[in-house]
Every structure is written in C-alpha cells, then in structure tokens.
Amino acid sequence: MKTSLSIRLHAAIFSPAMLISVLLGLILLLKFHITHYIWYYIEYGAINFSDIGTTFLNEIFVTDATSGFGLFAPILAVLPATTLFCDDYNSGYIKPILSRIEKKRYIKETIFCSTIAGGLAVFVPTFLTDFLMVICFEPNTLENNLGYQTFLDEGIFANIQFIWGGLLVVFLLLLLSFLFGAVWSNIGLCISAFIPNKYIALATPFALYFSLHLILYKTGSLLLFSPVNMLTAFADFLPCLPYPFIYQGILLAAAICVFWWGVKRRLKDV
C-alpha cells in the first residue's frame, strides 16, 4: 500500500497542475502588496517593504480583501488531484490497477491523494504569503494597533487575536486554508464518480461554490452558510470560532461518503 500510495501522492503533489495552483495563488495574494510597494517606490524612492504596512494580521486581512483569492481558491484546489479517478477510468488504466489492489484500497488512496493535494494547493500559497507578512510586519499587539479597535474585534478571532502576537490566528487561518482545499478537491472528486468527465469535475466545484454564494448572499440571513466565508472566516456574522472548522469538516465528510458510494457503484462491473 505504501508503494502505490506514495507513487500516486508524489505524482499529484509534484505535478505541473500543483505548480500552477501555487503560482496563481501567490500572484493573487501578493499582487496588492507588490503594486503598492512599486507605487511607493516610484513616489517616494527606496523604502523598506515593512514600511508600507502595519501589523501582520492587518496585512493578511488586506490581502484577503483585495486579492480575490477567496473567490478563485476552489479552482486552485481542484487542479492537482480532482481528476484522479476520471483519468484512471477514462484511460482504462483502472483495470490493471484493480487487478493488483482491491477496490476499497484504491478508493481510500484516491480520497487520500485528493485530500492532501487539494489541501496543499490552497495551503502552500497561503502559508508563503502569511510567512512573508509575519516576518515583514509588526506583531498584532494592542500597542502596535495604537490602542484602537482592530478589524477582528467583532469576529470569531476577537478573544484570541493577541495570543502569541497574532500567531495563533495565523495558525488557525492556515488550518482553514488546508481544510478548504481538501473540501473542494473532494467535491470535484465526488462529481467525477457520477460524471467521469475531467472538465466537468474541474468546473463544477467552482460553479457550485459561486452559485451557492450568490443564492445565500441574496437571502442575507443565510449568508453564514456561504462557503466563501470559510477560507479566512473574517466575517463578523459567523457565530463562533469552531463554526468554520465544523462546517468544512461536515462538507469534507459528506463529499468523501458520496464519492465512496458513487465510485463503488461505477466500479461494480470493472
């Protein structure tokens, strides 16, 4: 099991699709700060990157608010591993695979690869960006916020925003980013069990994600169920700190269960 799993996981993580996801994520996340720095440099001359911002949590919030990353993150999540089953099934390679390993093991490996690769596709650019913010800008302390209220005061991170100078919040945001990528990668995988077309598997998660957000946005009161609010969870109407983790955990479990059921039926005669 270790051999087949490690080969498939290595192929998904170190694939061109993963590289594209990471690079696109970094471009989205860093475009504001880079253009902002260039503008400052042209206007005022040489300046340290750290001089154009305040605390690292403020800069992470600015990154989230200006990047559009939260809108396009599902696309990054599905690229590396959502089409694993489609590729095996449509190419006919599924038959020699199942001649060597049992179906249950194949399904487990596929889910594991999709979860890890999808999670990393969103986690890695988020981690690299957040790491840059942490080393370049000030810790999130009350003093560094000049004693004023912060943007987190009304949200679920209010009571923990100053722990370790804001690093606890960064850690939780990174965990949310991995969960987010894992969820949407597996939603695409789930779709592929019923419609084994890689283009549909890649496109449907984003269509579902965006449509669901628009519908819930129109209702107003149900906006807390929008998946758009789960990546960074900065929205002040979220009920409590565990909420985005539980919400995404339920989505992940549901996607895995539906994929397992759907793919077992599709592989019945293989």
Side-chain angles (χ1 to χ4, degrees):
M1 181 174 181
K2 286 184 179 179
T3 301
S4 60
L5 177 58
S6 61
I7 291 172
R8 299 183 74 201
L9 187 59
H10 184 276
I13 292 176
F14 297 98
S15 64
M18 177 66 81
L19 180 60
I20 291 171
S21 288
V22 171
L23 290 178
L24 284 177
L26 286 173
I27 290 170
L28 286 170
L29 288 168
L30 292 175
K31 65 178 182 179
F32 172 80
H33 283 89
I34 291 173
T35 56
H36 197 48
Y37 178 79
I38 292 172
W39 180 85
Y40 260 86
Y41 187 87
I42 294 172
E43 195 73 15
Y44 301 107
I47 188 173
N48 291 328
F49 184 73
S50 59
D51 293 333
I52 66 172
T54 54
T55 68
F56 58 71
L57 281 187
N58 280 336
E59 298 311 311
I60 290 172
F61 172 75
V62 169
T63 297
D64 174 67
T66 60
S67 66
F69 183 73
L71 183 61
F72 296 104
I75 298 175
L76 309 183
V78 301
L79 288 179
T82 281
T83 64
L84 284 175
F85 174 69
C86 286
D87 295 338
D88 291 341
Y89 186 81
N90 293 328
S91 67
Y93 190 57
I94 189 74
K95 291 182 179 180
I97 292 177
L98 294 181
S99 68
R100 298 193 305 270
I101 61 175
E102 60 181 11
K103 291 178 183 178
K104 185 177 180 181
R105 177 174 151 187
Y106 170 78
I107 296 171
K108 282 183 178 180
E109 288 186 0
T110 304
I111 291 170
F112 185 79
C113 290
S114 176
T115 300
I116 299 301
L120 288 176
V122 179
F123 172 86
V124 172
T126 303
F127 171 79
L128 293 174
T129 303
D130 289 358
F131 180 74
L132 178 65
M133 300 302 156
V134 168
I135 64 173
C136 288
F137 300 109
E138 296 292 332
N140 193 62
T141 63
L142 194 59
E143 294 77 14
N144 288 335
N145 283 287
L146 303 177
Y148 296 117
Q149 287 186 321
T150 73
F151 72 95
L152 291 173
D153 283 344
E154 303 299 325
I156 61 175
F157 299 116
N159 294 329
I160 64 168
Q161 62 178 307
F162 299 122
I163 295 177
W164 306 334
L167 287 177
L168 178 58
V169 173
V170 174
F171 174 79
L172 293 177
L173 291 175
L174 291 174
L175 181 56
L176 283 174
S177 71
F178 184 88
L179 269 175
F180 184 96
V183 165
W184 289 98
S185 179
N186 279 291
I187 287 175
L189 191 67
C190 174
I191 292 163
S192 74
F194 299 92
I195 309 175
N197 180 294
K198 69 177 184 179
Y199 300 107
I200 292 177
L202 289 170
T204 304
F206 176 73
L208 179 64
Y209 176 82
F210 191 65
S211 300
L212 186 59
H213 174 67
L214 286 181
I215 293 169
L216 295 174
Y217 180 78
K218 293 290 185 182
T219 65
S221 60
L222 297 178
L223 191 56
L224 79 162
F225 294 110
S226 171
V228 173
N229 298 313
M230 298 303 115
L231 181 55
T232 54
F234 286 143
D236 58 11
F237 49 76
L238 297 180
C240 60
L241 184 58
Y243 175 77
F245 297 94
I246 295 172
Y247 181 98
Q248 296 201 97
I250 292 172
L251 285 182
L252 180 60
I256 289 173
C257 289
V258 173
F259 172 73
W260 192 295
W261 175 75
V263 83
K264 281 185 71 176
R265 292 187 62 190
R266 185 161 291 279
L267 295 178
K268 189 177 297 184
D269 300 323
V270 174

Tab-separated table of all heavy atoms in Angstrom, residues 30 33-34 37 47-53 132-133 136-137:
chain	number	residue	atom	x	y	z
A	30	LEU	N	-0.374	38.245	-3.566
A	30	LEU	CA	0.685	39.239	-3.412
A	30	LEU	C	0.544	40.451	-4.339
A	30	LEU	O	1.307	41.406	-4.222
A	30	LEU	CB	2.053	38.592	-3.638
A	30	LEU	CG	2.491	37.575	-2.581
A	30	LEU	CD1	3.797	36.922	-2.995
A	30	LEU	CD2	2.628	38.230	-1.216
A	33	HIS	N	0.148	43.984	-2.531
A	33	HIS	CA	1.334	44.481	-1.833
A	33	HIS	C	2.470	44.813	-2.801
A	33	HIS	O	3.218	45.773	-2.579
A	33	HIS	CB	1.800	43.467	-0.793
A	33	HIS	CG	0.969	43.464	0.449
A	33	HIS	ND1	-0.144	42.678	0.596
A	33	HIS	CD2	1.070	44.185	1.594
A	33	HIS	CE1	-0.678	42.899	1.783
A	33	HIS	NE2	0.035	43.800	2.417
A	34	ILE	N	2.595	44.027	-3.860
A	34	ILE	CA	3.646	44.311	-4.836
A	34	ILE	C	3.372	45.616	-5.573
A	34	ILE	O	4.257	46.475	-5.708
A	34	ILE	CB	3.786	43.141	-5.829
A	34	ILE	CG1	4.359	41.918	-5.100
A	34	ILE	CG2	4.691	43.526	-7.001
A	34	ILE	CD1	4.392	40.662	-5.942
A	37	TYR	N	3.842	48.498	-3.203
A	37	TYR	CA	5.249	48.793	-2.972
A	37	TYR	C	5.854	49.533	-4.165
A	37	TYR	O	6.618	50.495	-3.990
A	37	TYR	CB	6.027	47.502	-2.711
A	37	TYR	CG	7.510	47.731	-2.518
A	37	TYR	CD1	8.008	48.194	-1.297
A	37	TYR	CD2	8.409	47.510	-3.555
A	37	TYR	CE1	9.360	48.422	-1.113
A	37	TYR	CE2	9.760	47.739	-3.385
A	37	TYR	CZ	10.233	48.192	-2.164
A	37	TYR	OH	11.570	48.439	-1.993
A	47	ILE	N	12.348	52.368	-0.252
A	47	ILE	CA	11.626	52.209	1.009
A	47	ILE	C	11.592	50.735	1.366
A	47	ILE	O	11.558	49.863	0.486
A	47	ILE	CB	10.185	52.781	0.874
A	47	ILE	CG1	9.482	52.798	2.236
A	47	ILE	CG2	9.380	52.009	-0.151
A	47	ILE	CD1	8.136	53.506	2.191
A	48	ASN	N	11.648	50.443	2.653
A	48	ASN	CA	11.561	49.053	3.085
A	48	ASN	C	10.134	48.535	2.895
A	48	ASN	O	9.164	49.267	3.097
A	48	ASN	CB	11.953	48.926	4.559
A	48	ASN	CG	13.419	49.183	4.782
A	48	ASN	OD1	14.252	48.881	3.922
A	48	ASN	ND2	13.755	49.754	5.936
A	49	PHE	N	10.048	47.265	2.524
A	49	PHE	CA	8.723	46.654	2.341
A	49	PHE	C	7.903	46.747	3.623
A	49	PHE	O	6.687	46.958	3.587
A	49	PHE	CB	8.884	45.192	1.914
A	49	PHE	CG	7.594	44.495	1.601
A	49	PHE	CD1	6.903	44.775	0.439
A	49	PHE	CD2	7.074	43.537	2.471
A	49	PHE	CE1	5.699	44.127	0.139
A	49	PHE	CE2	5.880	42.885	2.181
A	49	PHE	CZ	5.197	43.175	1.012
A	50	SER	N	8.556	46.614	4.759
A	50	SER	CA	7.855	46.648	6.046
A	50	SER	C	7.265	48.017	6.369
A	50	SER	O	6.394	48.140	7.224
A	50	SER	CB	8.799	46.225	7.173
A	50	SER	OG	9.929	47.085	7.214
A	51	ASP	N	7.724	49.058	5.664
A	51	ASP	CA	7.231	50.408	5.943
A	51	ASP	C	5.882	50.710	5.297
A	51	ASP	O	5.296	51.763	5.554
A	51	ASP	CB	8.252	51.450	5.462
A	51	ASP	CG	9.535	51.415	6.269
A	51	ASP	OD1	9.471	51.003	7.450
A	51	ASP	OD2	10.595	51.759	5.723
A	52	ILE	N	5.408	49.805	4.446
A	52	ILE	CA	4.144	50.088	3.758
A	52	ILE	C	2.947	49.437	4.450
A	52	ILE	O	1.832	49.480	3.934
A	52	ILE	CB	4.184	49.633	2.284
A	52	ILE	CG1	4.296	48.106	2.184
A	52	ILE	CG2	5.318	50.309	1.533
A	52	ILE	CD1	4.142	47.574	0.767
A	53	GLY	N	3.187	48.817	5.618
A	53	GLY	CA	2.090	48.154	6.322
A	53	GLY	C	2.154	48.371	7.817
A	53	GLY	O	3.001	49.103	8.322
A	132	LEU	N	5.529	35.664	4.795
A	132	LEU	CA	6.107	36.950	4.392
A	132	LEU	C	5.553	38.078	5.240
A	132	LEU	O	6.295	38.972	5.689
A	132	LEU	CB	5.823	37.208	2.904
A	132	LEU	CG	6.333	38.534	2.332
A	132	LEU	CD1	7.864	38.583	2.361
A	132	LEU	CD2	5.823	38.735	0.908
A	133	MET	N	4.255	38.063	5.487
A	133	MET	CA	3.636	39.115	6.300
A	133	MET	C	4.156	39.081	7.735
A	133	MET	O	4.415	40.120	8.341
A	133	MET	CB	2.105	38.953	6.292
A	133	MET	CG	1.467	39.029	4.929
A	133	MET	SD	1.816	40.569	4.065
A	133	MET	CE	1.596	40.054	2.363
A	136	CYS	N	7.786	40.429	7.908
A	136	CYS	CA	7.984	41.818	7.451
A	136	CYS	C	7.254	42.857	8.299
A	136	CYS	O	7.686	44.013	8.342
A	136	CYS	CB	7.533	41.964	5.997
A	136	CYS	SG	8.628	41.169	4.803
A	137	PHE	N	6.161	42.444	8.939
A	137	PHE	CA	5.347	43.432	9.653
A	137	PHE	C	5.297	43.153	11.148
A	137	PHE	O	5.773	42.122	11.619
A	137	PHE	CB	3.943	43.475	9.039
A	137	PHE	CG	3.940	43.862	7.588
A	137	PHE	CD1	3.651	42.927	6.602
A	137	PHE	CD2	4.275	45.146	7.195
A	137	PHE	CE1	3.673	43.272	5.262
A	137	PHE	CE2	4.303	45.504	5.859
A	137	PHE	CZ	4.001	44.566	4.891
